[in-house]
Amino acid sequence: MTCKLIVFSPTGGTQRAAELLAEPFQPIAETIDLCAMHTDFSKTTLTSDDLCIVAVPSFAGRVPATAVERLRQMQGNGARAVLVAVYGNRAFEDTLVELQDVLTEQGFHCIAGVGALAEHSIARQFTAGRPDAQDAAVLADFGRKIADKLANNDDSIPTFPGNRPYRPYTPSPMHPQGNAEVCTKCGACVAACPVGAIANDKPYETQEHCISCMRCVKVCPQHTRTLNPVMLAGLTQKLSAVCRSEEHTSELQSPMYLVCR
């Protein structure tokens, strides 16, 4: 059985969690980057001999719509799938169950799932440094449990947490903007944007169809792309209130939620 990663990871945290989980399945046969806007994902060839670790960040408790659109171009053809929902400051809510539904519709067989913590892509002080060494150990151990499940020919489908219908999705209004006086027009942000929301001629501007993934902020070598400070302060205050609750603090301190069967 070959292991493939299918990942939507704008700022790298989701990719890191998927790689840690895949440690027992090395070498990885292929990594499919769902952020690659110009890829024809309908040409992705999967078979029942593949184990696919499918990892996405939780955007307001949901699978990012861009990732859903690109996953729906694929045909699973019976490939086994391990689902990974990565979140930075709040519960992943309906992300895993929505991801299960999308993959099942496309012919994947979902055998396991995990909700993993990673550094928040906007307010990075929340879950800073995650996944950390403790997370890495837990993920690798869970990967070994999945390997044991496969070795025992156990194709049981676990009950993933979440609700149907899914929670309503409200897009983030926080769109990074560049500084025209400092921007060198190197094109790094233009090439990296998963949805083409940055134009070549004015890379210091961001168009309305931006999905607020913060990939452009991550890749900008001049560090010119930033968020509205007033909006960022408001978000930080809101998240701080959520994270102060005893229940949520405990949740963020624990490595992750795991489900195998």
Side-chain angles (χ1 to χ4, degrees), residues 38-123:
H38 299 296
T39 298
D40 183 356
F41 295 102
S42 67
K43 294 182 178 179
T44 300
T45 301
L46 301 167
T47 73
S48 58
D49 290 328
D50 289 325
L51 173 69
C52 297
I53 296 178
V54 186
V56 300
S58 180
F59 279 16
R62 297 283 302 277
V63 181
T66 303
V68 170
E69 174 191 339
R70 293 168 186 176
L71 286 169
R72 283 185 169 149
Q73 296 178 40
M74 300 181 186
Q75 293 299 320
N77 297 314
R80 294 169 179 83
V82 176
L83 285 52
V84 184
V86 176
Y87 62 112
N89 69 286
R90 60 200 299 277
F92 54 84
E93 295 174 286
D94 300 336
T95 308
L96 276 180
V97 73
E98 182 181 11
L99 186 58
Q100 178 194 17
D101 290 345
V102 171
L103 293 175
T104 300
E105 289 170 5
Q106 300 310 121
F108 291 82
H109 189 79
C110 303
I111 63 165
V114 55
L117 290 166
E119 189 173 280
H120 195 279
S121 60
I122 299 176

Side-chain angles (χ1 to χ4, degrees), residues 22-35:
E23 189 273 333
F25 302 103
Q26 298 293 336
I28 301 301
E30 182 182 7
T31 297
I32 300 166
D33 181 11
L34 295 175
C35 286

Side-chain angles (χ1 to χ4, degrees), residues 119 129 138 216:
E119 189 173 280
V138 173
C216 61

